[in-house]
Amino acid sequence: MISARKICKNYEDDGSETQALIDASFNIKPGEFVAIMGPSGSGKSTLLHILSFMDRPTSGSYSFFGKKIEELSDSELAHIRNKEMGFVFQAFNLLSRSSVYANVEIPLIYSDVPASQRKELVEKAVSAVGLSEKLNVEAGKLSGGQKQRVAIARALVNNPNVIFADEPTGNLDSHSGQNVMEILKKLNDGGKTIILVTHETYTAQFADRLIKLKDGEIETDGLISDHLIKSYESK
């Protein structure tokens, strides 16, 4: 599904150049649950932005279902992103004065899904995260954990192939964070590919595979195990 080959990303600031990613190479198969970890400044957010078409690499090659990102226009990338990808963010990014229904419906408005089909899709996505009774409640009146579940429903509504979760438990207490991760794991068990950026080891342990970054380079890429988690905690 995802093939990255020698991905580099450089940023220029006041005439100086910073390498945010250096020769990142890996594949991600459909149905995997991958955690990306690393200290602040390691390049994990940069990598997520490139994988999700929010940014382009300076050099290297990135293919998504065989389509090379460097050969596609911004509008083509936006179309694929809306159709094939779902996003869950640390800050929820909900419209607080709009209902749960209206928030979850947003990706459908920008898609080719007929208006007549939207209600069924929204209700199905909200039901999947256990919030059917909150469908007409303003998002701003929900708890943090409920808001993140709405964000997951919004990510699901277009039935994407992959869900990118960027620090999805960062603004939640441990109990709510656990619930959110259990939902993501359930979606993965149902066949969804999950790519998780996190600094929390307890959330990474829900994944099957860990890609660990340091100073822009991949330091570790392998199956989740106690050895890998303890190795990360010791650094």
Side-chain angles (χ1 to χ4, degrees):
M1 184 180 77
I2 284 175
S3 178
R5 289 292 174 270
K6 293 188 175 296
I7 294 292
C8 296
K9 183 63 181 181
N10 302 336
Y11 293 101
E12 290 191 11
D13 184 22
D14 293 332
S16 62
E17 188 172 75
T18 300
Q19 291 183 295
L21 279 177
I22 304 169
D23 290 339
S25 297
F26 55 88
N27 296 324
I28 296 176
K29 298 177 182 178
E32 283 197 87
F33 193 149
V34 181
I36 300 173
M37 300 186 76
S40 179
S42 62
K44 57 185 185 294
S45 293
T46 299
L47 179 58
L48 183 74
H49 290 161
I50 290 173
L51 295 180
S52 60
F53 297 172
M54 293 183 182
D55 200 356
R56 292 178 183 264
T58 303
S59 63
S61 178
Y62 169 36
S63 297
F64 184 81
F65 281 106
K67 297 179 179 179
K68 293 186 177 181
I69 183 174
E70 58 266 28
E71 296 177 356
L72 300 174
S73 67
D74 289 345
S75 60
E76 288 172 325
L77 292 178
H79 177 75
I80 295 172
R81 184 168 56 239
N82 186 58
K83 186 177 179 63
E84 304 285 354
M85 301 175 178
F87 299 89
V88 182
F89 303 98
Q90 179 177 344
F92 317 133
N93 291 355
L94 301 178
L95 301 175
S96 61
R97 294 186 179 180
S98 295
S99 67
V100 168
Y101 183 99
N103 273 280
V104 175
E105 186 187 26
I106 289 173
L108 298 176
I109 295 173
Y110 295 98
S111 72
D112 54 5
V113 175
S116 60
Q117 297 179 17
R118 293 176 190 168
K119 184 174 185 292
E120 179 182 357
L121 292 174
V122 171
E123 290 177 348
K124 181 180 178 181
V126 173
S127 175
V129 299
L131 286 177
S132 294
E133 76 282 0
K134 303 290 186 181
L135 196 65
N136 297 309
V137 174
E138 286 186 7
K141 296 181 179 179
L142 302 177
S143 68
Q146 290 172 333
K147 289 177 181 177
Q148 196 60 293
R149 285 155 66 188
V150 173
I152 294 173
R154 181 184 58 196
L156 276 177
V157 74
N158 258 343
N159 193 28
N161 279 301
V162 56
I163 293 176
F164 292 95
D166 189 1
E167 301 281 6
T169 62
N171 285 337
L172 304 179
D173 60 67
S174 58
H175 177 72
S176 297
Q178 179 80 11
N179 288 341
V180 164
M181 292 309 304
E182 287 173 356
I183 291 173
L184 290 175
K185 182 61 177 175
K186 184 177 180 180
L187 293 174
N188 176 247
D189 290 341
K192 294 295 182 189
T193 304
I194 311 291
I195 300 177
L196 167 75
V197 167
T198 183
H199 67 277
E200 297 167 323
T201 55
Y202 91 91
T203 60
Q205 288 173 334
F206 281 86
D208 303 311
R209 175 180 169 193
L210 171 65
I211 295 175
K212 186 170 63 171
L213 298 175
K214 183 178 181 181
D215 297 329
E217 297 184 88
I218 294 178
E219 185 180 40
T220 299
D221 181 1
L223 297 177
I224 289 288
S225 67
D226 288 341
H227 172 74
L228 288 176
I229 294 298
K230 289 176 181 177
S231 174
Y232 175 79
E233 289 180 328
S234 68
K235 295 184 178 182

mmCIF file of all heavy atoms in Angstrom, residues 198-228:
data_model
loop_
_atom_site.group_PDB
_atom_site.id
_atom_site.type_symbol
_atom_site.label_atom_id
_atom_site.label_comp_id
_atom_site.label_asym_id
_atom_site.label_seq_id
_atom_site.Cartn_x
_atom_site.Cartn_y
_atom_site.Cartn_z
ATOM 1 N N THR A 198 2.991 8.869 18.033
ATOM 2 C CA THR A 198 2.787 8.997 19.469
ATOM 3 C C THR A 198 4.127 9.081 20.199
ATOM 4 O O THR A 198 5.152 8.629 19.697
ATOM 5 C CB THR A 198 1.979 7.799 20.021
ATOM 6 O OG1 THR A 198 1.740 7.987 21.418
ATOM 7 C CG2 THR A 198 2.718 6.485 19.809
ATOM 8 N N HIS A 199 4.098 9.681 21.381
ATOM 9 C CA HIS A 199 5.265 9.659 22.254
ATOM 10 C C HIS A 199 4.976 8.816 23.492
ATOM 11 O O HIS A 199 5.824 8.681 24.373
ATOM 12 C CB HIS A 199 5.655 11.082 22.678
ATOM 13 C CG HIS A 199 4.639 11.746 23.561
ATOM 14 N ND1 HIS A 199 3.521 12.396 23.060
ATOM 15 C CD2 HIS A 199 4.554 11.860 24.904
ATOM 16 C CE1 HIS A 199 2.804 12.873 24.058
ATOM 17 N NE2 HIS A 199 3.408 12.564 25.192
ATOM 18 N N GLU A 200 3.783 8.230 23.553
ATOM 19 C CA GLU A 200 3.357 7.470 24.725
ATOM 20 C C GLU A 200 3.502 5.969 24.455
ATOM 21 O O GLU A 200 2.906 5.437 23.515
ATOM 22 C CB GLU A 200 1.906 7.801 25.070
ATOM 23 C CG GLU A 200 1.711 9.263 25.445
ATOM 24 C CD GLU A 200 0.241 9.673 25.482
ATOM 25 O OE1 GLU A 200 -0.533 9.186 24.642
ATOM 26 O OE2 GLU A 200 -0.111 10.478 26.367
ATOM 27 N N THR A 201 4.249 5.292 25.294
ATOM 28 C CA THR A 201 4.493 3.872 25.063
ATOM 29 C C THR A 201 3.222 3.037 25.196
ATOM 30 O O THR A 201 3.065 2.035 24.503
ATOM 31 C CB THR A 201 5.558 3.337 26.028
ATOM 32 O OG1 THR A 201 5.163 3.610 27.379
ATOM 33 C CG2 THR A 201 6.894 4.008 25.768
ATOM 34 N N TYR A 202 2.288 3.446 26.069
ATOM 35 C CA TYR A 202 1.095 2.625 26.253
ATOM 36 C C TYR A 202 0.216 2.648 25.006
ATOM 37 O O TYR A 202 -0.473 1.656 24.708
ATOM 38 C CB TYR A 202 0.315 3.051 27.506
ATOM 39 C CG TYR A 202 -0.762 4.094 27.278
ATOM 40 C CD1 TYR A 202 -2.077 3.721 26.994
ATOM 41 C CD2 TYR A 202 -0.477 5.459 27.376
ATOM 42 C CE1 TYR A 202 -3.072 4.671 26.807
ATOM 43 C CE2 TYR A 202 -1.454 6.402 27.188
ATOM 44 C CZ TYR A 202 -2.752 6.012 26.906
ATOM 45 O OH TYR A 202 -3.726 6.963 26.719
ATOM 46 N N THR A 203 0.230 3.749 24.248
ATOM 47 C CA THR A 203 -0.536 3.771 23.001
ATOM 48 C C THR A 203 0.192 2.995 21.911
ATOM 49 O O THR A 203 -0.440 2.297 21.112
ATOM 50 C CB THR A 203 -0.792 5.207 22.539
ATOM 51 O OG1 THR A 203 0.452 5.878 22.326
ATOM 52 C CG2 THR A 203 -1.598 5.990 23.552
ATOM 53 N N ALA A 204 1.511 3.072 21.878
ATOM 54 C CA ALA A 204 2.282 2.340 20.872
ATOM 55 C C ALA A 204 2.089 0.842 21.010
ATOM 56 O O ALA A 204 2.142 0.105 20.022
ATOM 57 C CB ALA A 204 3.762 2.690 20.987
ATOM 58 N N GLN A 205 1.834 0.378 22.212
ATOM 59 C CA GLN A 205 1.690 -1.053 22.441
ATOM 60 C C GLN A 205 0.430 -1.633 21.806
ATOM 61 O O GLN A 205 0.294 -2.849 21.702
ATOM 62 C CB GLN A 205 1.719 -1.349 23.945
ATOM 63 C CG GLN A 205 3.119 -1.186 24.533
ATOM 64 C CD GLN A 205 3.150 -1.307 26.032
ATOM 65 O OE1 GLN A 205 2.155 -1.050 26.707
ATOM 66 N NE2 GLN A 205 4.278 -1.697 26.569
ATOM 67 N N PHE A 206 -0.481 -0.776 21.344
ATOM 68 C CA PHE A 206 -1.650 -1.262 20.614
ATOM 69 C C PHE A 206 -1.284 -1.615 19.172
ATOM 70 O O PHE A 206 -2.028 -2.324 18.497
ATOM 71 C CB PHE A 206 -2.756 -0.200 20.610
ATOM 72 C CG PHE A 206 -3.540 -0.124 21.885
ATOM 73 C CD1 PHE A 206 -3.094 0.647 22.951
ATOM 74 C CD2 PHE A 206 -4.723 -0.826 22.030
ATOM 75 C CE1 PHE A 206 -3.818 0.715 24.134
ATOM 76 C CE2 PHE A 206 -5.453 -0.774 23.209
ATOM 77 C CZ PHE A 206 -4.997 0.005 24.258
ATOM 78 N N ALA A 207 -0.155 -1.108 18.710
ATOM 79 C CA ALA A 207 0.275 -1.344 17.335
ATOM 80 C C ALA A 207 0.962 -2.700 17.217
ATOM 81 O O ALA A 207 1.293 -3.353 18.215
ATOM 82 C CB ALA A 207 1.219 -0.237 16.877
ATOM 83 N N ASP A 208 1.165 -3.132 15.974
ATOM 84 C CA ASP A 208 1.879 -4.378 15.710
ATOM 85 C C ASP A 208 3.334 -4.119 15.344
ATOM 86 O O ASP A 208 4.167 -5.023 15.436
ATOM 87 C CB ASP A 208 1.211 -5.133 14.554
ATOM 88 C CG ASP A 208 -0.257 -5.425 14.827
ATOM 89 O OD1 ASP A 208 -0.558 -5.929 15.921
ATOM 90 O OD2 ASP A 208 -1.091 -5.134 13.950
ATOM 91 N N ARG A 209 3.621 -2.888 14.939
ATOM 92 C CA ARG A 209 4.953 -2.569 14.412
ATOM 93 C C ARG A 209 5.363 -1.174 14.874
ATOM 94 O O ARG A 209 4.522 -0.275 14.984
ATOM 95 C CB ARG A 209 4.897 -2.628 12.890
ATOM 96 C CG ARG A 209 6.167 -2.209 12.154
ATOM 97 C CD ARG A 209 5.925 -2.319 10.660
ATOM 98 N NE ARG A 209 6.976 -1.713 9.853
ATOM 99 C CZ ARG A 209 6.864 -1.462 8.551
ATOM 100 N NH1 ARG A 209 5.741 -1.777 7.916
ATOM 101 N NH2 ARG A 209 7.861 -0.906 7.896
ATOM 102 N N LEU A 210 6.635 -1.007 15.142
ATOM 103 C CA LEU A 210 7.170 0.280 15.593
ATOM 104 C C LEU A 210 8.246 0.778 14.642
ATOM 105 O O LEU A 210 9.197 0.047 14.333
ATOM 106 C CB LEU A 210 7.764 0.132 16.996
ATOM 107 C CG LEU A 210 8.549 1.335 17.538
ATOM 108 C CD1 LEU A 210 7.627 2.529 17.733
ATOM 109 C CD2 LEU A 210 9.249 0.973 18.839
ATOM 110 N N ILE A 211 8.070 2.005 14.159
ATOM 111 C CA ILE A 211 9.131 2.708 13.445
ATOM 112 C C ILE A 211 9.609 3.820 14.373
ATOM 113 O O ILE A 211 8.849 4.718 14.719
ATOM 114 C CB ILE A 211 8.637 3.300 12.107
ATOM 115 C CG1 ILE A 211 8.226 2.173 11.155
ATOM 116 C CG2 ILE A 211 9.722 4.164 11.463
ATOM 117 C CD1 ILE A 211 7.620 2.666 9.852
ATOM 118 N N LYS A 212 10.854 3.737 14.796
ATOM 119 C CA LYS A 212 11.401 4.715 15.743
ATOM 120 C C LYS A 212 12.393 5.610 15.023
ATOM 121 O O LYS A 212 13.306 5.136 14.341
ATOM 122 C CB LYS A 212 12.071 3.995 16.917
ATOM 123 C CG LYS A 212 12.545 4.940 18.023
ATOM 124 C CD LYS A 212 12.975 4.180 19.260
ATOM 125 C CE LYS A 212 14.165 3.288 18.992
ATOM 126 N NZ LYS A 212 14.718 2.702 20.245
ATOM 127 N N LEU A 213 12.195 6.919 15.156
ATOM 128 C CA LEU A 213 13.050 7.903 14.500
ATOM 129 C C LEU A 213 13.960 8.588 15.500
ATOM 130 O O LEU A 213 13.603 8.789 16.662
ATOM 131 C CB LEU A 213 12.189 8.966 13.804
ATOM 132 C CG LEU A 213 11.262 8.497 12.684
ATOM 133 C CD1 LEU A 213 10.394 9.650 12.195
ATOM 134 C CD2 LEU A 213 12.048 7.910 11.530
ATOM 135 N N LYS A 214 15.143 8.963 15.017
ATOM 136 C CA LYS A 214 16.074 9.768 15.814
ATOM 137 C C LYS A 214 16.859 10.649 14.862
ATOM 138 O O LYS A 214 17.471 10.162 13.916
ATOM 139 C CB LYS A 214 17.016 8.869 16.618
ATOM 140 C CG LYS A 214 17.970 9.652 17.523
ATOM 141 C CD LYS A 214 18.845 8.714 18.335
ATOM 142 C CE LYS A 214 19.780 9.491 19.254
ATOM 143 N NZ LYS A 214 20.655 8.581 20.044
ATOM 144 N N ASP A 215 16.808 11.944 15.104
ATOM 145 C CA ASP A 215 17.539 12.920 14.279
ATOM 146 C C ASP A 215 17.244 12.747 12.787
ATOM 147 O O ASP A 215 18.136 12.844 11.946
ATOM 148 C CB ASP A 215 19.048 12.808 14.526
ATOM 149 C CG ASP A 215 19.427 13.133 15.963
ATOM 150 O OD1 ASP A 215 18.731 13.952 16.589
ATOM 151 O OD2 ASP A 215 20.408 12.555 16.461
ATOM 152 N N GLY A 216 15.982 12.465 12.487
ATOM 153 C CA GLY A 216 15.555 12.385 11.097
ATOM 154 C C GLY A 216 15.773 11.054 10.420
ATOM 155 O O GLY A 216 15.391 10.876 9.255
ATOM 156 N N GLU A 217 16.388 10.100 11.109
ATOM 157 C CA GLU A 217 16.676 8.801 10.512
ATOM 158 C C GLU A 217 15.901 7.699 11.226
ATOM 159 O O GLU A 217 15.582 7.802 12.419
ATOM 160 C CB GLU A 217 18.172 8.503 10.584
ATOM 161 C CG GLU A 217 19.043 9.468 9.803
ATOM 162 C CD GLU A 217 20.506 9.084 9.817
ATOM 163 O OE1 GLU A 217 20.908 8.309 8.932
ATOM 164 O OE2 GLU A 217 21.222 9.548 10.715
ATOM 165 N N ILE A 218 15.594 6.641 10.495
ATOM 166 C CA ILE A 218 14.942 5.490 11.100
ATOM 167 C C ILE A 218 15.970 4.720 11.914
ATOM 168 O O ILE A 218 16.950 4.202 11.375
ATOM 169 C CB ILE A 218 14.307 4.583 10.036
ATOM 170 C CG1 ILE A 218 13.154 5.324 9.338
ATOM 171 C CG2 ILE A 218 13.795 3.289 10.671
ATOM 172 C CD1 ILE A 218 12.480 4.528 8.240
ATOM 173 N N GLU A 219 15.756 4.666 13.211
ATOM 174 C CA GLU A 219 16.671 3.970 14.113
ATOM 175 C C GLU A 219 16.248 2.518 14.310
ATOM 176 O O GLU A 219 17.085 1.615 14.403
ATOM 177 C CB GLU A 219 16.710 4.688 15.467
ATOM 178 C CG GLU A 219 17.728 4.123 16.439
ATOM 179 C CD GLU A 219 17.719 4.878 17.754
ATOM 180 O OE1 GLU A 219 16.630 5.230 18.246
ATOM 181 O OE2 GLU A 219 18.817 5.113 18.299
ATOM 182 N N THR A 220 14.940 2.294 14.362
ATOM 183 C CA THR A 220 14.393 0.950 14.563
ATOM 184 C C THR A 220 13.138 0.790 13.732
ATOM 185 O O THR A 220 12.325 1.707 13.643
ATOM 186 C CB THR A 220 14.033 0.715 16.049
ATOM 187 O OG1 THR A 220 15.207 0.841 16.858
ATOM 188 C CG2 THR A 220 13.433 -0.663 16.259
ATOM 189 N N ASP A 221 12.964 -0.366 13.118
ATOM 190 C CA ASP A 221 11.741 -0.700 12.404
ATOM 191 C C ASP A 221 11.517 -2.193 12.572
ATOM 192 O O ASP A 221 12.233 -3.012 12.009
ATOM 193 C CB ASP A 221 11.858 -0.337 10.921
ATOM 194 C CG ASP A 221 10.584 -0.650 10.134
ATOM 195 O OD1 ASP A 221 9.610 -1.130 10.744
ATOM 196 O OD2 ASP A 221 10.568 -0.411 8.920
ATOM 197 N N GLY A 222 10.540 -2.534 13.402
ATOM 198 C CA GLY A 222 10.290 -3.950 13.646
ATOM 199 C C GLY A 222 9.006 -4.165 14.401
ATOM 200 O O GLY A 222 8.280 -3.217 14.729
ATOM 201 N N LEU A 223 8.699 -5.428 14.701
ATOM 202 C CA LEU A 223 7.487 -5.757 15.422
ATOM 203 C C LEU A 223 7.547 -5.223 16.843
ATOM 204 O O LEU A 223 8.606 -5.183 17.475
ATOM 205 C CB LEU A 223 7.277 -7.270 15.433
ATOM 206 C CG LEU A 223 7.058 -7.934 14.073
ATOM 207 C CD1 LEU A 223 6.936 -9.449 14.246
ATOM 208 C CD2 LEU A 223 5.836 -7.361 13.373
ATOM 209 N N ILE A 224 6.400 -4.797 17.343
ATOM 210 C CA ILE A 224 6.316 -4.334 18.722
ATOM 211 C C ILE A 224 6.673 -5.496 19.660
ATOM 212 O O ILE A 224 6.218 -6.600 19.518
ATOM 213 C CB ILE A 224 4.885 -3.838 19.036
ATOM 214 C CG1 ILE A 224 4.594 -2.515 18.315
ATOM 215 C CG2 ILE A 224 4.673 -3.695 20.533
ATOM 216 C CD1 ILE A 224 5.320 -1.330 18.877
ATOM 217 N N SER A 225 7.497 -5.207 20.634
ATOM 218 C CA SER A 225 7.853 -6.204 21.645
ATOM 219 C C SER A 225 8.294 -5.462 22.891
ATOM 220 O O SER A 225 8.550 -4.259 22.864
ATOM 221 C CB SER A 225 8.997 -7.105 21.154
ATOM 222 O OG SER A 225 10.188 -6.338 21.024
ATOM 223 N N ASP A 226 8.378 -6.167 23.977
ATOM 224 C CA ASP A 226 8.863 -5.537 25.212
ATOM 225 C C ASP A 226 10.267 -4.975 25.018
ATOM 226 O O ASP A 226 10.610 -3.920 25.553
ATOM 227 C CB ASP A 226 8.880 -6.560 26.359
ATOM 228 C CG ASP A 226 7.481 -6.897 26.841
ATOM 229 O OD1 ASP A 226 6.563 -6.110 26.560
ATOM 230 O OD2 ASP A 226 7.320 -7.937 27.476
ATOM 231 N N HIS A 227 11.063 -5.652 24.223
ATOM 232 C CA HIS A 227 12.441 -5.184 23.996
ATOM 233 C C HIS A 227 12.439 -3.816 23.323
ATOM 234 O O HIS A 227 13.172 -2.911 23.719
ATOM 235 C CB HIS A 227 13.190 -6.196 23.126
ATOM 236 C CG HIS A 227 14.534 -5.707 22.678
ATOM 237 N ND1 HIS A 227 15.613 -5.626 23.534
ATOM 238 C CD2 HIS A 227 14.968 -5.256 21.473
ATOM 239 C CE1 HIS A 227 16.667 -5.145 22.878
ATOM 240 N NE2 HIS A 227 16.292 -4.916 21.619
ATOM 241 N N LEU A 228 11.586 -3.651 22.280
ATOM 242 C CA LEU A 228 11.563 -2.391 21.559
ATOM 243 C C LEU A 228 11.038 -1.262 22.432
ATOM 244 O O LEU A 228 11.574 -0.161 22.448
ATOM 245 C CB LEU A 228 10.697 -2.526 20.297
ATOM 246 C CG LEU A 228 11.282 -3.366 19.163
ATOM 247 C CD1 LEU A 228 10.264 -3.485 18.042
ATOM 248 C CD2 LEU A 228 12.542 -2.735 18.627
#
